[in-house]
């Protein structure tokens, strides 16, 4: 492995599933200090914060340092580097770090790289920073491949559907499971009608995570846990009240208020800077909307500024046992990030 891959390889070598990120965070703080950041530290809940520049205009580059569980041996075959988080999303976080290290920041700008903890959990890292920065631009670190930018992420709402009723003989009445399944089938029919002719990003994507039924003494109970990815037009509150709330004889509960969908402006100054940078790097730029949810959904309703998500890697490898990244693509993404910063007037390349 070449020395110039040290940021990426080092991050991958420090396995950091959600809740166990300290070793990886300590590595990145030290690495940032070594390569010229003005300040690098962890905040009170464990986010890595790296700062370069002292100007009043902030750009926040928000990645995450935690990964899903499932450690993968870190090794390289040719141009391919394997390891948990190579794509989701230590590749992006390392690219942010290496790009900023290569740029001299103008006096009126400040660049802030954040390696958030808990993105794969409840996004507590992103929630914690919402009130601490006032950025002019935001770049979210998630894989999009080097020549594409992500504009939108769907919303999400997890819900519990349950039916309780007095026990009856199976020959003379419906069970609680029957009632719950009939309601689920009717809901799916309504969802399919809503989705007809719409793109993925504008559809409702509902799936059953778990289902259970039991009968004790005089009572029967059925329970179904569902996870629903939501379009911009349907907030979690609307989904729970106007869709799930109309089910017959079904109790609906949620453990959290859900996360609304978010979609960025493709004509923003930031998006145009990325499109120009990708073209100048020999690529054909493209836009992506994702069916998942990211920290973009958490911070942008508060920050309300131009944003894109960007990072190297193939997102279909997220969470897989075969997660890997192409080193050449990684450095292409670093070059794109440097060019974007120059196009935005933030800095110039170090000689």
């Amino acid at each position: 492995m070449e020395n110039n891959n040290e940021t990426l390889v080092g991050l991958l070598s420090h396995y950091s599933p959600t809740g166990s990120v300290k070793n990886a965070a300590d590595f990145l703080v030290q690495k940032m200090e070594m390569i010229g950041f003005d300040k690098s530290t962890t905040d009170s809940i464990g986010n890595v914060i790296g700062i370069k520049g002292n100007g009043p205009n902030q750009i926040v580059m928000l990645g995450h340092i935690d990964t899903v569980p499932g450690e993968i041996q870190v090794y390289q075959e040719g141009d391919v580097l394997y390891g948990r988080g190579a794509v989701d999303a230590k590749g992006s976080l390392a690219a942010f770090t290496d790009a900023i290290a290569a740029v001299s920041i103008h006096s009126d700008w400040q660049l802030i790289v954040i390696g958030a903890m808990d993105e794969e959990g409840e996004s507590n890292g992103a929630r914690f920073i919402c009130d601490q920065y006032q950025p002019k631009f935001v770049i979210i670190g998630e894989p999009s491949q080097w020549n594409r930018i992500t504009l939108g992420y769907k919303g999400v709402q997890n819900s519990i559907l349950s039916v309780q009723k007095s026990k009856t003989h199976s020959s003379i009445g419906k069970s609680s499971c029957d009632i719950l399944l009939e309601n689920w089938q009717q809901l799916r029919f309504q969802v399919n009608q809503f989705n007809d002719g719409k793109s993925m990003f504008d559809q409702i994507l509902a799936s059953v995570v778990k289902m259970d039924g039991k009968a004790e003494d005089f009572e029967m109970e059925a329970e179904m846990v569902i996870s629903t990815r939501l379009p911009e037009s349907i907030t979690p509150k609307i989904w729970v009240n106007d869709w799930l709330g109309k089910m017959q004889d079904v109790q609906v509960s949620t453990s959290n208020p859900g996360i609304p969908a978010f979609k960025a402006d493709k004509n923003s100054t930031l998006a145009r800077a990325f499109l120009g940078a990708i073209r100048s790097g020999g690529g054909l730029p493209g836009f992506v909307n994702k069916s998942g949810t990211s920290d973009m959904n958490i911070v942008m309703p508060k920050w309300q500024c131009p944003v894109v998500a960007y990072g190297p890697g193939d997102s279909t490898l997220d969470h897989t046992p075969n997660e890997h990244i192409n080193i050449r693509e990684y450095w292409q993404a670093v070059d794109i990030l440097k060019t974007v910063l120059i196009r935005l007037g933030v800095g110039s390349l170090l000689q």
Side-chain angles (χ1 to χ4, degrees):
M1 297 179 182
E2 297 178 5
N3 288 335
N4 63 358
N5 295 327
E6 285 181 354
T7 307
L8 176 59
V9 173
L11 274 176
L12 296 183
S13 298
H14 291 81
Y15 176 55
S16 55
T18 302
S20 301
V21 303
K22 185 178 186 305
N23 288 341
D26 288 346
F27 163 79
L28 186 57
V29 167
Q30 185 178 23
K31 184 65 176 177
M32 288 173 166
E33 181 179 353
M34 291 172 57
I35 60 178
F37 279 65
D38 296 322
K39 180 181 179 182
S40 58
T41 187
T42 53
D43 64 20
S44 62
I45 66 167
N47 293 319
V48 175
I49 311 294
I51 298 174
K52 192 170 183 180
N54 297 297
N57 300 303
Q58 294 179 337
I59 295 181
V60 170
M61 303 173 81
L62 174 59
H64 63 94
I65 200 163
D66 66 319
T67 69
V68 296
E71 189 168 6
I72 299 171
Q73 179 185 356
V74 180
Y75 68 98
Q76 187 171 344
E77 286 185 350
D79 290 326
V80 178
L81 179 64
Y82 291 81
R84 174 60 73 215
V87 174
D88 186 20
K90 290 182 176 181
S92 301
L93 181 57
F96 288 173
T97 303
D98 283 339
I100 286 184
V103 175
S104 174
I105 309 303
H106 294 165
S107 61
D108 54 343
W109 286 94
Q110 182 180 68
L111 298 186
I112 304 165
V113 175
I114 301 175
M117 48 79 73
D118 198 46
E119 194 274 349
E120 300 289 358
E122 299 298 325
S123 286
N124 288 316
R127 296 179 196 278
F128 182 78
I129 64 170
C130 280
D131 294 324
Q132 303 193 32
Y133 303 100
Q134 297 178 317
K136 299 291 186 182
F137 301 107
V138 175
I139 306 172
I140 304 292
E142 293 287 352
S144 60
Q145 300 179 5
W146 77 274
N147 61 338
R148 305 191 304 175
I149 59 175
T150 301
L151 294 176
Y153 288 91
K154 293 179 76 73
V156 64
Q157 177 67 66
N158 296 322
S159 311
I160 300 172
L161 312 178
S162 59
V163 174
Q164 295 88 28
K165 69 184 296 290
S166 298
K167 186 184 293 184
T168 59
H169 194 279
S170 60
S171 65
I172 60 173
K174 296 177 181 178
S175 70
S176 55
C177 289
D178 290 330
I179 295 171
L180 186 54
L181 285 171
E182 286 177 359
N183 275 277
W184 172 249
Q185 290 167 352
Q186 178 61 27
L187 179 66
R188 289 302 300 265
F189 176 77
Q190 294 169 345
V191 165
N192 288 339
Q193 285 188 313
F194 176 89
N195 288 345
D196 188 37
K198 293 183 174 68
S199 67
M200 175 279 297
F201 194 71
D202 295 320
Q203 292 180 349
I204 299 169
L205 306 177
S207 61
V208 177
V209 176
K210 179 182 177 182
M211 185 173 179
D212 190 27
K214 62 181 180 180
E216 295 181 354
D217 298 328
F218 303 108
E219 297 292 327
M220 293 185 293
E221 181 177 351
E223 184 177 279
M224 178 184 291
V225 180
I226 67 170
S227 181
T228 310
R229 299 290 177 173
L230 297 168
E232 284 184 285
S233 61
I234 298 180
T235 64
K237 184 176 181 180
I238 289 174
W239 171 248
V240 171
N241 293 341
D242 296 351
W243 288 73
L244 301 184
K246 293 182 179 179
M247 302 174 89
Q248 297 295 313
D249 302 315
V250 176
Q251 290 76 50
V252 180
S253 61
T254 59
S255 58
N256 57 61
I259 300 172
F262 185 90
K263 189 173 182 180
D265 178 10
K266 69 178 182 180
N267 295 311
S268 71
T269 302
L270 180 62
R272 292 197 302 271
F274 267 96
L275 296 180
I278 291 167
R279 290 190 184 101
S280 70
L284 180 64
F287 296 112
V288 182
N289 292 311
K290 298 284 187 73
S291 60
T293 303
S294 79
D295 281 344
M296 181 186 289
N297 302 68
I298 304 298
V299 299
M300 293 316 300
K302 177 72 174 181
W303 285 343
Q304 292 289 312
C305 65
V307 61
V308 302
Y310 180 77
D314 179 357
S315 61
T316 64
L317 296 172
D318 290 3
H319 305 184
T320 67
N322 191 40
E323 188 174 0
H324 60 269
I325 192 167
N326 185 286
I327 292 295
R328 286 184 296 174
E329 182 186 354
Y330 173 82
W331 287 106
Q332 283 177 301
V334 172
D335 286 341
I336 296 303
L337 288 164
K338 291 187 291 187
T339 303
V340 165
L341 295 176
I342 293 168
R343 283 176 172 264
L344 291 173
V346 172
S348 56
L349 290 180
L350 289 169
Q351 300 301 317

